[in-house]
Amino acid sequence: MTEPLNPNPRPVEPAALSLEGKEYSLPVVEGSEGERGIDIGRLRAETGHITLDTGYGNTGSCTSAITFIDGDAGILRYRGIPIEQFVDSPTFIEVAWLLIFGHLPSETEYQDFSEDLTRFAHIDESMKHQFEGFPRSAPPMATLSAMINALSCYHLDLHELEDEAELRHAAARLISKIRTIAAYAFRHSRGLPYVYPDPGLRYVPNLLHMMFSQPYSQYVCPILVRKAFNLILILHADHEQNCSTSTVRMVGSSGANLFASCAAGVSALWGPLHGGANVAVLDMLEQIHQGNVTPEEYVRLAKDKDSNVRLMGFGHRVYKNFDPRAQMLQKVAEELLPQISADDPLLDIARRLEEIALSDPYFVERKLYPNVDFYSGILLRAMGIPTNMFTVIFAIGRLPGWIAHWWEQSQTPGGRIARPRQIYTGNGLTDYLPMERRP
Ligand code: CMC
């Protein structure tokens, strides 16, 4: 069942603002799920004031029809479809299509798009040499961002996308090539020969083949691993206006091409408060496993504001309840690990940390629950993915969301360059001092 789509938020009763003795009326709009926003588009022009919202916790930067989250109820839907419905049937590629083009693909669309992904999987041979320019120790996220930006040098014809057909060409190239770039970044970091994509393999097995096959032995992807990996990519595919997606939109708002905008998204994702948290979670669990600190001590440190320690994989700007992605990944981890004989002591430590935190008033009062990064690392590790590739896998998953948002923004009538303002707190008018007169 599909609710009728209303691309414009509905105007409802306006808000009244009283400021310096004057009354103003501010329009209020309502989205399709009832969430309301005060439209301050004319605020500065009419009052001379701006709003101040550090970290944008109360600011809607756009309207969007891609993903809906109700953080209090733990709801996440892609194009209206609850995330829980993606557990068994669709592939990551179907979900990518859904996010980008707004509907589930027909059989022909799916086949054609899959064929495009196969055709475009190779990267230009000269790009291969660029990997050699990076030191072995280069973090794969740095290589990934640089190489996605470099793709814009090879696809000058896709800098401006006129219609959905051109979007499809660009999206298929990016979604396919990010996988090859990720695998090559990994191979380079290990000093291993690059493995070409295999046209006979599907999206996930092909990625793992390029990462793990050797000239003398072909990696064969177990079905359970393919399914779990597919789900990880799907659960990361979009999350509305998070830091990296907002970055992609911001860069794109200047008219920058899709490749350059997504490269910026990779950089934003890298940080430990965002996608890099999956690495930080593993570091935390390892520290506890090695006996450097007990779970109880770690939680105590995370509560201590002077310690600079946070319980990684916990808390979320939007979810004030369970992150539904974390719950789904926890279930998969519990099922998968025994089946692929990867019993991992870190899973027990994660369970213990969760138990302590969820019964601690500090976490309960602040509504801090496990987020998607808490269990994804354990799963990736069980599948043999090295820790420094975790955030790269997140980026592969998030790419369809970035593309969908970049396109939605470029198609929104009346779009403007994203350019926040500030409240200046620096020096008043100050004279320049020549060097010899400076103290
Ligand atoms: N451990 C300990 N205290 C925390 C944590 C945590 N993980 N997260 C939030 N708090 C505290 C915070 O110190 C603050 O306390 P107080 O009210 O006493 O000052 C309160 O909870 C509210 O936190 P906040 O920093 O205002 O929340 P935020 O919305 O700005 O930040 C967050 C959200 C995800 C960055 C943060 O919860 C965090 O740093 N978590 C750990 C890193 C992490 O797991 N990141 C992955 C996020 S989900 C996937 C993604 O986006 O990529």
Side-chain angles (χ1 to χ4, degrees):
M1 188 190 72
T2 310
E3 300 283 340
L5 190 67
N6 172 14
N8 298 311
R10 195 170 69 88
V12 289
E13 196 183 330
L17 173 69
S18 177
L19 198 61
E20 295 172 342
K22 283 194 182 163
E23 303 300 320
Y24 300 92
S25 172
L26 298 172
V28 174
V29 293
E30 188 179 68
S32 50
E33 291 294 333
E35 71 286 12
R36 292 187 170 191
I38 301 169
D39 179 350
I40 56 156
R42 303 269 323 139
L43 184 72
R44 187 167 178 278
E46 290 179 8
T47 69
H49 288 62
I50 61 169
T51 54
L52 181 61
D53 184 20
T54 319
Y56 308 129
N58 307 281
T59 297
S61 58
C62 59
T63 60
S64 178
I66 300 169
T67 287
F68 172 69
I69 303 176
D70 180 337
D72 294 318
I75 290 173
L76 170 60
R77 297 181 197 148
Y78 294 160
R79 300 282 186 185
I81 304 176
I83 195 80
E84 291 77 10
Q85 292 187 18
F86 294 117
V87 172
D88 290 322
S89 43
T91 65
F92 171 59
I93 300 310
E94 275 180 272
V95 172
W97 181 283
L98 169 74
L99 288 167
I100 297 169
F101 299 104
H103 59 90
L104 287 166
S106 67
E107 204 172 329
T108 315
E109 286 169 334
Y110 180 66
Q111 291 306 340
D112 289 352
F113 196 56
S114 301
E115 277 167 29
D116 283 353
L117 294 178
T118 304
R119 256 184 322 134
F120 299 143
H122 286 278
I123 54 173
D124 192 286
E125 280 295 297
S126 69
M127 257 187 109
K128 239 171 70 179
H129 301 300
Q130 293 176 38
F131 283 92
E132 306 305 325
F134 290 103
R136 284 266 176 86
S137 56
M141 281 299 274
T143 316
L144 187 71
S145 174
M147 288 302 193
I148 289 181
N149 212 0
L151 281 178
S152 55
C153 309
Y154 296 86
H155 300 292
L156 301 179
D157 55 324
L158 294 174
H159 281 201
E160 280 171 30
L161 306 180
E162 296 292 336
D163 52 31
E164 281 203 356
E166 290 187 4
L167 171 68
R168 195 182 116 178
H169 286 308
R173 280 178 173 82
L174 249 177
I175 292 172
S176 191
K177 290 179 197 300
I178 191 176
R179 176 183 54 168
T180 313
I181 292 171
Y184 282 22
F186 168 69
R187 306 286 298 199
H188 176 63
S189 73
R190 295 285 169 98
L192 294 168
Y194 303 121
V195 174
Y196 284 110
D198 179 342
L201 292 177
R202 297 167 74 170
Y203 194 81
V204 166
N206 213 347
L207 166 66
L208 298 175
H209 154 69
M210 285 189 277
M211 284 180 71
F212 298 130
S213 283
Q214 301 298 353
Y216 48 85
S217 73
Q218 174 91 2
Y219 172 86
V220 180
C221 181
I223 292 175
L224 286 174
V225 168
R226 173 164 63 75
K227 282 186 158 177
F229 207 107
N230 189 59
L231 184 65
I232 289 179
L233 295 182
I234 290 174
L235 293 181
H236 286 85
D238 192 42
H239 215 234
E240 48 115 308
Q241 309 309 321
N242 57 87
C243 178
S244 56
T245 303
S246 298
T247 301
V248 171
R249 276 185 174 262
M250 177 162 260
V251 175
S253 79
S254 74
N257 69 68
L258 181 62
F259 303 99
S261 303
C262 290
V266 173
S267 299
L269 188 72
W270 192 0
L273 297 187
H274 191 9
N278 55 16
V279 175
V281 168
L282 250 280
D283 289 347
M284 172 183 81
L285 297 177
E286 282 285 6
Q287 274 190 49
I288 296 173
H289 181 52
Q290 283 162 17
N292 299 337
V293 56
T294 64
E296 289 76 10
E297 277 163 4
Y298 201 98
V299 170
R300 191 187 50 73
L301 279 172
K303 294 190 290 180
D304 178 356
K305 299 288 180 212
D306 297 327
S307 74
N308 233 349
V309 170
R310 282 194 165 195
L311 191 55
M312 299 314 284
F314 258 73
H316 199 276
R317 171 63 60 82
V318 180
Y319 292 117
K320 300 302 166 198
N321 197 326
F322 272 95
D323 177 340
R325 303 167 301 172
Q327 285 184 304
M328 290 166 76
L329 287 180
Q330 178 182 16
K331 193 160 171 276
V332 176
E334 304 278 1
E335 284 165 10
L336 182 79
L337 264 57
Q339 293 190 57
I340 58 172
S341 8
D343 245 344
D344 191 342
L346 299 197
L347 182 59
D348 292 332
I349 296 172
R351 283 196 204 106
R352 178 74 191 124
L353 274 176
E354 183 178 340
E355 190 188 348
I356 300 171
L358 293 183
S359 56
D360 187 310
Y362 175 96
F363 290 88
V364 175
E365 281 157 20
R366 289 171 178 76
K367 301 186 176 167
L368 304 170
Y369 291 90
N371 60 47
V372 67
D373 292 311
F374 195 65
Y375 283 102
S376 65
I378 292 175
L379 264 171
L380 289 170
R381 184 173 130 109
M383 292 187 251
I385 307 294
T387 312
N388 67 351
M389 288 295 287
F390 288 2
T391 318
V392 171
I393 306 299
F394 191 154
I396 297 175
R398 183 55 54 89
L399 183 62
W402 291 337
I403 297 172
H405 282 273
W406 183 91
W407 178 247
E408 183 180 67
Q409 171 175 264
S410 76
Q411 296 303 295
T412 304
R416 302 171 79 196
I417 187 167
R419 203 301 185 187
R421 288 183 177 265
Q422 64 167 14
I423 301 290
Y424 175 69
T425 57
N427 289 341
L429 183 63
T430 307
D431 282 330
Y432 169 80
L433 272 187
M435 190 74 82
E436 63 277 11
R437 286 178 44 208
R438 290 178 209 164

